């Protein structure tokens, strides 16, 4: 199985990707849960100077995308190690599951990144104009 | 199923292979779209930071906007490299191409996970009245 011998470094890369993904997902989860808490605090009236306006809707949008991304990523990170093992054991279905989850997690991450950066841009422009 | 190559098959397995390639095509399309869409806010954030510095009105958020713009463009670069690596796997599913694709994905994860962490720090400073 020469091909699998040469594929071993890729499996090690997968292990590194898994570690980085877990760190990244932990960061995403912290960031977006904080946004959700902030949104809840606005609703609860803790920040009385913050009216429920466009800014609030932006927070909710970013937070929802972020939490969905974190959950999808968590699902992927947990499954990936198991899938990599299946691929190494020549399980043909392992490849499909690996690629399907890879597609799904990147879709969610992209939505979260886009919403976060656009919102940061909106805040930045707002501060610049102010 | 040919264990030596996840794309090589014969007869009825051709359907499975088509599904596998379809998943890779979808991932590549997602990554390309996100890279293109992120260019706009990345460039705008960078321009905002540069403008704030050029007009002598740079406060901490002007610097932060420029840095966030640079990081966003860094994410764009890594996403593009990832998309190109996926395309190479589609056209040539050799072990080296798979390894390159997973390596590109690891790099994209690395920089994409820094971005929300940076945003989290900025938001925390704002919420604490910085």
């Amino acid at each position: 199985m020469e091909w699998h011998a040469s594929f071993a470094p890729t499996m090690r890369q997968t292990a590194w990707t898994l570690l980085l993904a877990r760190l990244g997902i932990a960061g995403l989860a912290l960031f977006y849960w904080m946004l959700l808490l902030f949104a809840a605090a606005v609703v609860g009236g803790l920040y009385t100077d913050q009216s429920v306006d466009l800014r609030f809707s932006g927070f909710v949008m970013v937070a929802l995308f972020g939490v969905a991304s974190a959950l999808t990523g968590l699902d992927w990170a947990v499954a990936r190690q198991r899938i990599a093992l299946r691929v190494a054991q020549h399980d043909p279905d392992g490849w499909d599951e690996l690629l399907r989850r890879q597609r799904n997690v990147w879709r969610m991450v992209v939505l979260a990144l886009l919403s976060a950066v656009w919102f940061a841009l909106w805040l930045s422009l707002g501060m610049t104009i102010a | 199923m040919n264990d030596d190559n996840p794309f090589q098959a014969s007869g009825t397995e051709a359907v499975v292979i088509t599904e596998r390639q379809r998943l890779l095509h979808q991932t590549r399309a997602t990554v390309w779209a996100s890279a293109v869409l992120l260019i706009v806010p990345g460039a705008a954030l960078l321009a905002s930071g540069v403008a704030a510095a050029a007009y002598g009105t740079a406060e901490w958020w002007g610097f932060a906007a420029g840095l966030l713009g640079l990081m966003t463009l860094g994410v764009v670069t890594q996403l593009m490299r990832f998309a190109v690596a996926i395309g190479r796997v589609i056209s040539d599913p050799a072990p080296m191409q798979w390894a390159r694709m997973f390596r590109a994905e690891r790099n994209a994860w690395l920089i994409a996970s820094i971005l929300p962490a940076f945003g989290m720090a900025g938001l925390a400073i704002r919420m604490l009245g910085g």
Side-chain angles (χ1 to χ4, degrees), chain B residues 31-73:
Chain B
V31 175
W32 266 122
S34 60
V36 171
L37 286 172
L38 277 173
I39 285 176
V40 179
L45 281 168
L46 184 60
S48 172
V50 170
Y55 288 100
T57 57
E59 297 179 26
W60 70 268
W61 52 263
F63 174 74
L67 189 58
L68 190 62
L70 271 178
M71 289 171 65
T72 306
L73 293 179

Side-chain angles (χ1 to χ4, degrees), chain A residues 4 16 32 35 41 57-58 77 89-90 96 102 109 118 123 127:
Chain A
H4 278 283
W16 271 105
Y32 294 116
L35 282 180
S57 63
Q89 291 171 342
H90 309 192
D96 294 331
Q102 184 185 51
V109 166
W118 275 109
L123 273 184
M127 282 190 285

Side-chain angles (χ1 to χ4, degrees), chain A residues 10-92:
Chain A
T10 301
M11 286 295 103
R12 282 198 290 275
Q13 295 289 339
T14 304
W16 271 105
T17 307
L18 182 69
L19 177 66
L20 290 170
R22 281 175 175 165
L23 289 173
I25 288 161
L28 273 174
L30 273 174
F31 177 45
Y32 294 116
W33 277 115
M34 204 166 89
L35 282 180
L36 267 186
L37 285 175
F38 182 69
V42 171
V43 172
L46 289 177
Y47 288 87
T48 52
D49 59 330
Q50 302 277 346
S51 58
V52 179
D53 55 7
L54 190 62
R55 183 185 305 185
F56 173 71
S57 63
F59 271 127
V60 172
M61 179 191 72
V62 175
L64 286 179
F65 274 131
V67 170
S69 169
L71 289 177
T72 313
L74 190 65
D75 170 58
W76 174 78
V78 167
R80 182 153 183 171
Q81 202 163 24
R82 178 171 51 82
I83 297 168
L85 186 65
R86 283 173 54 189
V87 168
Q89 291 171 342
H90 309 192
D91 179 357

Side-chain angles (χ1 to χ4, degrees), chain B residues 79-97:
Chain B
L79 287 175
M80 283 179 169
R81 292 181 68 177
F82 182 34
V84 168
I86 295 172
R88 284 182 180 153
V89 168
I90 292 171
S91 58
D92 175 26
M96 184 185 293
Q97 303 300 345

